[in-house]
Amino acid sequence: MERRRAIYEKDLNLEATELRLGLPGLDESEKQSSTSNSAKNSKKRPLSEMDDNNSSCVTENEQQEYAPPAPKSGFNKIFFFNNFRAQVVGWPPVRSYRKNIVQAKKPESDTSLGMYLKVSMDGAPYLRKIDLKIYKSYPELLKALQNMFKCTIGVYSEREGYNGSDYAPTYEDKDGDWMLVGDVPWEMFINSCRRLRIMKGSEAKGLACL
Amino acid sequence: MNPTLKKPRESVDLSELTQSTFPDEVLEKVLSLVQSHKDRNSASLVCKDWYNAERWTRTKLFIGNCYSVSPEIVARRFPKIKSVTLKGKPRFSDFNLVPENWGADIQAWLDVFAKVYPFLEELRLKRMAVSDESLEFLAKSFHGFKVLSLLSCDGFSTDGISSIAAHCKSLTELDIQENGMDDISGSWLSCFPDDFASLEVLNFASLNSEISIDALERLVSRCKSLRVLKVNKNVTLSQLQRLLVRAPQLIELGTGCFLPDLTSRQYAELESAFSNCKNLHTISGLWEATYRYLPVLYAACASLTFLNLSYATIRSGEFLKLLAHCPSLRRLWVFDTVKDEGLEAVGTSCPLLEELRVFPADPFEEDIVHGVTESGFVAVSAGCPKLQYVLYFCRQMTNAAVATIVRNCPDFTHFRLCIMNPGQPDYMTNEPMDEAFGAVVKTCKKLQRLSVSGLLTDLTFEYIGRYAKNLETLSVAFAGRSDWGMQCVLEGCSKLRKLEIRDCPFGNAALLSGLEKYESMRCLWMSACSVTMNGCRLLAQERPRLNVEVIKDENSDDSADKLYVYRSVAGPRRDAPPFVVTL
């Protein structure tokens, strides 16, 4: 206790009031002066927010998180804890299950990362997802679909649709209707397409005949 | 009648007062109508007769700290308990500040209850350690068991839930929320027997595994008294529609995933299903909800009192439209993605609002300016004068804004403000946020719970000690300048029951200034403060009826890294793990 008090008094200096952007504890003199916490600084690495993948409680040891030096008595550090925030145990006080909701959501909502759509194929046990943004034209898209599902889709014709092929690609548009892929210009297609379904040729005949 | 015959107050015969003038049966009948455990606790202190009558008539047990009393003591005093509420770990365990295997295991309680209360019907647990074996034991030991609620518990898996579903033939409530549990499979839902039909409340929103939608449909069809149904995010919109048509009587609904997935016919069917739910007061869930499908809710929102959007990061545009349909809203939980704009709409659309919680969508994102600011909060306060409960996460705040807010809403009972940057001052004046919380405690006389944040000196705590006379719970982080701050609070807040502090410069002098106080409180938590082992030992010596527990970090110096102090009639814990040192 005595030792700490002496150190705190030494610490009543300009450093404490300095506006900083860096992590507390990175400063060499701080490392020496801060007491129990300096041991933590060197051993532990910052918490990665991606570590918390499930909602179960993880011990501090497992997380190896950086804990800040406690504000010294007699002075409050008047600097902004910019990077600090992500690395303090349990701060901000948001419960883990709530953190997970948003992390799971993020990739989907950021449209600059791509336009991922579900693709189902009749008879396949599970769905796939493709990023429409990486294709520039129908032939590219159809080729990719054929590769992904190992099927033949054939050639589109305005009159006959995909007549003659095993499978036909269809999509659900903004209004909820199922349309044949290829009828509208590419730009219009990628703006209105919500999901894709590769139908069996026999079923797709109905769409093409309209 | 003759005034001279009236005895002056001082000379009333005291022996008359100690005899109860009611026969026991009457006393018991009257006391059996007293529901609140606080009132019952008071009643039991009146005299021996009342104590006895009270203990024979108490059926609901509330234990705020499972270590404050032992199951044996409870069993001896109360012979007729049917319902138990138990809380375990300190609240900061929600934020990973308490290591695993700390304790609060339910099994010791269940062992005693199985012997003494074989007719136990309800068990509500918060922050307790619960194993699958305990759940199975529970399911098989209590034949009339009706209500199980697990909130923030850990240690069990869906296997344990299967035992409950399979064996509790009279179950009316199964409420599994936000637990640290293993989600192995959704097969637990299929464990309800085919003739089981008594369920009134089913909440599995926080479970991740897929359940059998057919089993759920059949269950919902059979349970005609079902009033609360909260499904998880694996339930799609079309599946939800099928559930809703089977349960139009629902009062609380937690939807599944709201991702666009419907044909226009299905959309119309869903809309119609919602409009048939005439009794809905609460809606939650709404994962991935966007402008596309939120409108299906509109018809059900007229009588909505609680809207929980804290799983849906919706934006202000769609939020505004939704709010316009919810004029009766009293409680609103939302992400800060709705921004100040969204909160302005709350102010204009929801005049009856009593509770607002705004959660941060990106609590760890620095540099990006988003979320809500002080103006959103001010806007809500201007339009919602009945606000009593607020939890607000933001990145900037000013003293002036808070002063305005409490001027608009003087009836706050719960004020929890979290400025997410630790130690951040008023961003306009660069001053500490002392005056903000000063305004809160001076204006809100009914304040029971306060969480402070931002740059705070001891002045904040002087204000709290001087004005917050009804304060029961105080949470402090990264604040204060010296021991004086904490001393002010301990001395001034006569009704204080829970004090939780982290990362503050409060040391032994502050800790020991509360010697007279801690036995009247439920608990004190101090972590990463300046308290030492010596200080804690002194406290333990002076107050043997307190349990003084320290969790130390690896280094061996004298600092008491995590201190947990609580009153107990059960003595020191016998199940403390090695890292918990009882002084």
Side-chain angles (χ1 to χ4, degrees):
Chain A
M1 187 66 181
E2 294 310 310
R3 182 173 67 104
R4 270 234 221 134
R5 210 181 278 139
I7 288 162
Y8 295 164
E9 272 152 22
K10 254 194 248 163
D11 205 43
L12 283 174
N13 56 24
L14 292 174
E15 264 182 21
T17 52
E18 192 184 81
L19 270 174
R20 303 160 56 132
L21 292 178
L23 281 171
L26 288 183
D27 186 350
E28 278 312 305
S29 60
E30 263 202 65
K31 248 194 191 163
Q32 288 156 15
S33 64
S34 96
T35 58
S36 56
N37 299 294
S38 60
K40 282 184 226 162
N41 294 355
S42 47
K43 280 186 207 163
K44 302 191 177 187
R45 59 175 165 77
L47 165 68
S48 159
E49 65 191 41
M50 296 311 277
D51 280 350
D52 202 1
N53 277 329
N54 54 41
S55 54
S56 61
C57 219
V58 181
T59 61
E60 275 196 306
N61 291 333
E62 285 175 20
Q63 286 178 322
Q64 288 184 25
E65 280 153 355
Y66 170 75
K72 316 282 197 280
S73 62
F75 234 102
N76 238 338
K77 300 251 174 194
I78 310 170
F79 57 83
F80 287 79
F81 296 56
N82 271 328
N83 294 324
F84 187 56
R85 208 188 321 143
Q87 293 157 319
V88 179
V89 182
W91 189 267
V94 176
R95 293 166 66 185
S96 15
Y97 81 93
R98 210 177 278 286
K99 280 188 247 169
N100 292 339
I101 298 163
V102 183
Q103 281 162 16
K105 175 154 170 74
K106 264 176 88 160
E108 306 234 18
S109 58
D110 189 350
T111 48
S112 64
L113 284 180
M115 191 206 277
Y116 280 89
L117 298 177
K118 285 190 192 173
V119 188
S120 61
M121 174 152 118
D122 290 354
Y126 51 82
L127 280 64
R128 302 297 302 268
K129 269 214 170 151
I130 56 165
D131 179 1
L132 266 197
K133 282 207 167 150
I134 65 179
Y135 307 109
K136 303 284 177 287
S137 67
Y138 281 124
E140 271 185 37
L141 173 64
L142 294 179
K143 188 162 158 215
L145 288 176
Q146 289 178 103
N147 268 336
M148 192 183 256
F149 290 94
K150 309 283 181 284
C151 61
T152 29
I153 293 180
V155 178
Y156 167 83
S157 84
E158 215 181 305
R159 260 228 273 140
E160 308 277 309
Y162 294 88
N163 249 348
S165 31
D166 295 334
Y167 291 94
T170 64
Y171 71 98
E172 187 186 20
D173 75 355
K174 276 198 268 222
D175 302 320
D177 298 315
W178 286 92
M179 319 284 290
L180 192 68
V181 169
D183 284 338
V184 301
W186 175 253
E187 286 303 320
M188 197 187 288
F189 165 70
I190 58 172
N191 282 326
S192 57
C193 175
R194 283 209 319 236
R195 60 187 295 185
L196 285 155
R197 178 182 160 199
I198 302 180
M199 275 173 123
K200 277 211 163 59
S202 44
E203 281 193 30
K205 273 206 169 69
L207 279 172
C209 288
L210 289 169
Chain B
M1 293 276 277
N2 187 339
T4 58
L5 287 178
K6 229 185 191 168
K7 289 181 192 163
R9 282 177 85 194
E10 301 87 272
S11 62
V12 157
D13 190 345
L14 290 175
S15 65
E16 280 181 21
L17 290 178
T18 54
Q19 286 169 356
S20 177
T21 46
F22 299 116
D24 285 344
E25 304 84 52
V26 174
L27 192 54
E28 284 184 13
K29 178 70 185 167
V30 170
L31 283 177
S32 65
L33 299 171
V34 177
Q35 295 294 331
S36 141
H37 67 273
K38 287 185 187 167
D39 290 342
R40 280 184 160 270
N41 291 346
S42 306
S44 67
L45 294 174
V46 169
C47 64
K48 274 210 163 128
D49 283 344
W50 282 49
Y51 178 90
N52 278 325
E54 195 282 307
R55 65 179 268 261
W56 278 98
T57 55
R58 191 183 294 220
T59 57
K60 287 200 176 122
L61 196 61
F62 172 85
I63 298 173
N65 172 6
C66 65
Y67 286 118
S68 62
V69 71
S70 74
E72 292 79 15
I73 294 174
V74 164
R76 262 203 306 273
R77 179 172 172 187
F78 298 112
K80 294 220 174 143
I81 297 297
K82 291 247 175 89
S83 158
V84 175
T85 300
L86 260 175
K87 296 188 183 179
K89 297 183 218 174
R91 193 177 78 95
F92 278 178
S93 69
D94 283 351
F95 315 122
N96 295 344
L97 286 178
V98 176
E100 264 185 31
N101 302 318
W102 178 86
D105 196 301
I106 189 62
Q107 189 59 45
W109 292 87
L110 291 178
D111 288 333
V112 172
F113 290 164
K115 291 193 208 114
V116 181
Y117 309 132
F119 301 114
L120 187 70
E121 291 177 356
E122 303 183 1
L123 192 62
R124 294 188 167 87
L125 304 179
K126 187 168 185 182
R127 293 193 199 100
M128 298 287 295
V130 181
S131 66
D132 285 343
E133 291 71 35
S134 293
L135 288 174
E136 193 181 345
F137 181 83
L138 168 67
K140 293 183 174 164
S141 309
F142 303 100
H143 298 290
F145 195 72
K146 290 188 180 161
V147 170
L148 179 65
S149 166
L150 299 172
L151 174 58
S152 283
C153 298
D154 65 277
F156 62 101
S157 77
T158 39
D159 288 348
I161 308 299
S162 299
S163 308
I164 300 288
H167 299 289
C168 297
K169 309 262 184 273
S170 315
L171 200 69
T172 58
E173 283 188 36
L174 181 61
D175 189 350
I176 315 290
Q177 275 190 66
E178 302 151 20
N179 300 288
M181 59 181 286
D182 272 334
D183 213 332
I184 301 173
S185 97
S187 56
W188 59 270
L189 187 76
S190 311
C191 290
F192 284 110
D194 288 331
D195 60 349
F196 171 76
S198 49
L199 213 55
E200 296 170 25
V201 173
L202 178 62
N203 177 1
F204 62 97
S206 56
L207 293 180
N208 288 322
S209 46
E210 295 238 14
I211 44 102
S212 154
I213 192 66
D214 288 332
L216 182 58
E217 266 184 52
R218 287 196 301 272
L219 181 65
V220 168
S221 302
R222 291 199 303 272
C223 298
K224 305 280 184 239
S225 305
L226 194 69
R227 48 188 167 83
V228 175
L229 177 64
K230 297 184 183 175
V231 302
N232 70 12
K233 59 179 184 264
N234 292 317
V235 172
T236 67
L237 279 175
S238 51
Q239 291 169 344
L240 180 68
Q241 186 266 338
R242 278 150 52 196
L243 294 170
L244 283 181
V245 299
R246 286 165 174 75
Q249 76 281 6
L250 284 179
I251 296 177
E252 294 183 28
L253 171 69
T255 74
C257 186
F258 245 64
L259 262 183
D261 208 17
L262 301 178
T263 65
S264 34
R265 183 174 59 91
Q266 286 172 319
Y267 182 102
E269 283 174 353
L270 182 61
E271 211 174 11
S272 150
F274 266 108
S275 61
N276 280 331
C277 294
K278 311 255 187 263
N279 299 318
L280 271 183
H281 285 172
T282 297
I283 292 183
S284 60
L286 301 170
W287 284 273
E288 317 278 9
T290 64
Y291 67 92
R292 276 202 188 115
Y293 285 158
L294 277 175
V296 301
L297 297 176
Y298 292 171
C301 289
S303 50
L304 211 60
T305 57
F306 180 19
L307 180 59
N308 181 353
L309 293 167
S310 66
Y311 299 119
T313 52
I314 73 173
R315 312 216 174 267
S316 46
E318 50 240 17
F319 180 56
L320 258 68
K321 294 199 199 101
L322 177 58
L323 273 187
H325 291 88
C326 307
S328 314
L329 223 50
R330 290 185 206 284
R331 299 172 65 196
L332 174 64
W333 294 18
V334 81
F335 266 120
D336 62 0
T337 45
V338 302
K339 299 197 174 169
D340 289 334
E341 268 182 284
L343 295 182
E344 281 159 27
V346 173
T348 49
S349 310
C350 308
L352 300 177
L353 200 68
E354 294 169 5
E355 176 179 328
L356 173 68
R357 301 195 195 199
V358 180
F359 297 99
D362 286 318
F364 305 111
E365 282 286 324
E366 316 99 23
D367 304 332
I368 300 177
V369 176
H370 55 194
V372 293
T373 72
E374 76 280 8
S375 31
F377 198 169
V378 171
V380 176
S381 72
C384 308
K386 296 191 176 186
L387 262 188
Q388 291 170 18
Y389 192 120
V390 82
L391 169 62
Y392 199 82
F393 283 85
C394 58
R395 286 180 173 82
Q396 64 186 53
M397 188 50 63
T398 67
N399 288 307
V402 177
T404 306
I405 288 161
V406 293
R407 229 184 354 258
N408 292 336
C409 302
D411 294 333
F412 274 118
T413 54
H414 297 68
F415 192 92
R416 302 166 63 187
L417 175 62
C418 181
I419 303 166
M420 289 192 272
N421 249 338
Q424 182 174 302
D426 177 323
Y427 81 97
M428 289 192 57
T429 64
N430 231 29
E431 283 171 3
M433 294 296 296
D434 296 331
E435 293 308 318
F437 293 103
V440 173
V441 294
K442 284 177 201 165
T443 316
C444 305
K445 307 268 185 259
K446 302 185 213 166
L447 196 69
Q448 290 167 24
R449 181 172 179 183
L450 179 65
S451 300
V452 298
S453 59
L455 180 65
L456 300 175
T457 70
D458 287 341
L459 183 56
T460 297
F461 303 103
E462 277 184 41
Y463 285 143
I464 293 175
R466 203 181 313 159
Y467 297 102
K469 293 306 179 189
N470 284 316
L471 193 65
E472 296 179 15
T473 305
L474 178 63
S475 307
V476 185
F478 305 104
R481 291 259 168 94
S482 73
D483 289 334
W484 171 242
M486 185 170 161
Q487 279 171 253
C488 288
V489 170
L490 288 169
E491 216 178 309
C493 297
S494 41
K495 294 200 184 168
L496 194 65
R497 291 189 304 117
K498 288 178 273 185
L499 180 56
E500 42 186 33
I501 302 173
R502 61 165 295 178
D503 294 275
C504 295
F506 303 138
N508 291 339
L511 176 67
L512 295 169
S513 72
L515 272 182
E516 309 296 320
K517 185 89 187 139
Y518 300 130
E519 279 178 22
S520 66
M521 287 171 57
R522 182 186 294 175
C523 63
L524 165 72
W525 169 279
M526 285 178 80
S527 59
C529 295
S530 309
V531 175
T532 69
M533 295 298 284
N534 271 331
C536 299
R537 274 186 212 110
L538 208 56
L539 173 63
Q541 260 178 286
E542 292 294 315
R543 287 289 179 270
R545 286 194 300 189
L546 295 177
N547 280 357
V548 178
E549 297 175 4
V550 175
I551 299 171
K552 281 189 62 55
D553 291 340
E554 290 124 39
N555 48 65
S556 55
D557 77 354
D558 199 37
S559 58
D561 304 297
K562 291 178 178 153
L563 171 66
Y564 186 48
V565 179
Y566 57 93
R567 64 182 176 186
S568 177
V569 295
R573 285 176 59 179
R574 271 163 282 156
D575 64 349
F579 58 81
V580 172
V581 176
T582 304
L583 298 172

